[in-house]
Amino acid sequence: DTGVSQNPRHKITKRGQNVTFRCDPISEHNRLYWYRQTLGQGPEFLTYFQNEAQLEKSRLLSDRFSAERPKGSFSTLEIQRTEQGDSAMYLCASSLDRDGADTQYFGPGTRLTVL
Amino acid sequence: AQRVTQPEKLLSVFKGAPVELKCNYSYSGSPELFWYVQYSRQRLQLLLRHISRESIKGFTADLNKGETSFHLKKPFAQEEDSAMYYCALSPLGSARQLTFGSGTQLTVLP
C-alpha cells in the first residue's frame, strides 16, 4: 500500500465549470477527511466520513461543494460552478479509528486553478 | 471556536543551534495538540502528538495549558530538519476535525 492517493494531481478549469476530485484512502482506514489549503495558510477542514456516512461538514463547504464516499472506500469531492476563490490545494486524509487515537495520513493533494 | 496561531512564518537557525517553533492555541474544551511536518516535495505527515509524550527525530513538545502553548523544540538542529511545520488542534479523544495553524518554514543553515 503506497498510502493515500489523489487524482488528478493538478486541475485547471475555467470559471463556471464543474470539477471532481478523487481520493483513495489507505485500504483498511474507515475515516476519510477533506481539507482545503490556500497559499500561505494551513489546511482547513472541509468534511469527514466514517465509512460511507458523512458525519461532519464545515461551514466552508458551500452548496456548490458535495462529497461522497459511496461504498466506504474511495471518495469524490465535486465543486459545481467553480469560482476563482476555489483555487487551492485540496487534501485528502484517512485514518483508522482506534479508540480516538487515530492518526490522519495525508495524500499529495489536488491543486485546482480556476481561470 | 478553536484557533491555532504560529507567530513566525519563517525561522532560520544554524546547524547545531537549538530551535523552537512557537504554537499558541485557543479552545474552550480539552484539546489534543499535534505537530505536522511537510518536507520539500513530500506530503504532510504527523511529527508528534502531545498525548504520546514521545520524542521524534529529536523533537519534543510540551503542552502548557496555563499559557495555552505547544511549542516544538530541538536542542541541535540538523539541515534535514528544514521543512514547513504546522501545529494543529482537535478535541481530546476525537482526532476528527483538525484545526491547523498557518505554518512556520524552518530553514537550517550549514
Side-chain angles (χ1 to χ4, degrees), chain A residues 38-56:
Chain A
T38 53
L39 200 61
Q41 300 299 317
E44 295 174 293
F45 171 81
L46 293 178
T47 190
Y48 147 70
F49 290 84
Q50 174 110 2
N51 300 310
E52 65 275 7
Q54 188 173 18
L55 296 185
E56 289 183 31

Side-chain angles (χ1 to χ4, degrees), chain B residues 9-90:
Chain B
K9 277 212 170 296
L10 302 170
L11 181 63
S12 294
V13 299
F14 285 101
K15 177 183 172 181
V19 62
E20 181 178 66
L21 289 83
K22 291 183 167 49
C23 172
N24 288 89
Y25 67 91
S26 63
Y27 181 62
S28 56
S30 296
E32 183 169 3
L33 274 295
F34 306 79
W35 278 98
Y36 278 79
V37 61
Q38 188 166 25
Y39 301 101
S40 179
R41 296 190 180 87
Q42 294 187 27
R43 60 188 68 188
L44 197 60
Q45 58 185 287
L46 178 67
L47 180 62
L48 55 80
R49 59 201 302 169
H50 91 270
I51 275 185
S52 302
R53 304 185 70 83
E54 55 190 350
S55 171
I56 305 293
K57 298 185 180 182
F59 285 98
T60 59
D62 291 317
L63 179 59
N64 186 323
K65 291 185 178 179
E67 296 182 0
T68 59
S69 67
F70 189 58
H71 303 325
L72 184 67
K73 300 177 184 179
K74 185 170 182 176
F76 307 103
Q78 302 299 314
E79 288 181 69
E80 56 265 30
D81 296 330
S82 296
M84 178 69 86
Y85 291 81
Y86 294 98
C87 183
L89 173 155
S90 76

Side-chain angles (χ1 to χ4, degrees), chain A residues 2-4 31 33 35 37 40-43 45 48 56 100-104 106-108, chain B residues 9 32 34 36 38 43-46 49 86 93-103:
Chain A
T2 55
V4 178
R31 290 182 168 176
Y33 315 78
Y35 292 84
Q37 185 174 21
Q41 300 299 317
F45 171 81
Y48 147 70
E56 289 183 31
D102 51 350
T103 296
Q104 294 187 29
F106 282 81
Chain B
K9 277 212 170 296
E32 183 169 3
F34 306 79
Y36 278 79
Q38 188 166 25
R43 60 188 68 188
L44 197 60
Q45 58 185 287
L46 178 67
R49 59 201 302 169
Y86 294 98
S94 169
R96 296 197 297 265
Q97 179 176 333
L98 289 172
T99 298
F100 285 86
S102 56

